[in-house]
Amino acid sequence: MTGDPLAALETLLAAAPRGTTRDGLFAVWLTARVTLDLQLDPPLAERALRRRLDLLEGRVTKLRIAAPLRRALVGIHGQLREPETRSVAMALSQLVAPVKESLGDKAADALARAARGARRGAAT
């Protein structure tokens, strides 16, 4: 992958005022960041991945985010815990609709670009 697939989300996060929108963007960015780390070469050790997911879930639960987005994030976190259902591009793609509903078109487009980048990264 060339460039940072999360750059557009980071830009939106930096421009967002404090509140539920910013918390939602941060939760999505943090989840996408951990999800994209699953494509690292060499891969993370399973123990390190479990620890990162524990930390991610703990951080996200403290944020004020819309209920549909919270439910989607909980589902993705559960999916990432199961090696047989772990797909970076699929996990990010599944978040696009709840992000669009909760955070708007720009955030959904930024996440969709990250998912496409993850799909290309997995193919190479």
Side-chain angles (χ1 to χ4, degrees), residues 22-83:
R22 185 181 186 127
D23 283 0
L25 284 168
F26 180 69
V28 169
W29 173 81
L30 195 58
T31 298
R33 184 172 168 221
V34 170
T35 303
L36 287 169
D37 284 349
L38 293 173
Q39 289 184 323
L40 291 175
D41 191 26
L44 294 171
E46 194 63 32
R47 182 175 178 194
L49 177 60
R50 281 193 313 270
R51 179 161 166 66
R52 289 183 97 179
L53 289 171
D54 289 343
L55 292 170
L56 170 66
E57 290 171 1
R59 182 66 175 110
V60 168
T61 58
K62 296 175 185 173
L63 297 171
R64 296 171 297 147
I65 56 179
L69 181 56
R70 182 174 302 281
R71 284 190 298 271
L73 289 170
V74 167
I76 296 303
H77 297 163
Q79 181 182 348
L80 295 177
R81 287 194 176 278
E82 301 299 324

Side-chain angles (χ1 to χ4, degrees), residues 56-121:
L56 170 66
E57 290 171 1
R59 182 66 175 110
V60 168
T61 58
K62 296 175 185 173
L63 297 171
R64 296 171 297 147
I65 56 179
L69 181 56
R70 182 174 302 281
R71 284 190 298 271
L73 289 170
V74 167
I76 296 303
H77 297 163
Q79 181 182 348
L80 295 177
R81 287 194 176 278
E82 301 299 324
E84 58 277 354
T85 61
R86 230 179 257 157
S87 168
V88 173
M90 184 182 300
L92 294 177
S93 295
Q94 289 174 346
L95 274 178
V96 172
V99 165
K100 184 173 186 171
E101 178 183 342
S102 300
L103 302 173
D105 291 337
K106 288 182 182 180
D109 291 343
L111 187 60
R113 283 194 300 274
R116 284 191 300 274
R119 198 171 293 117
R120 282 193 301 273

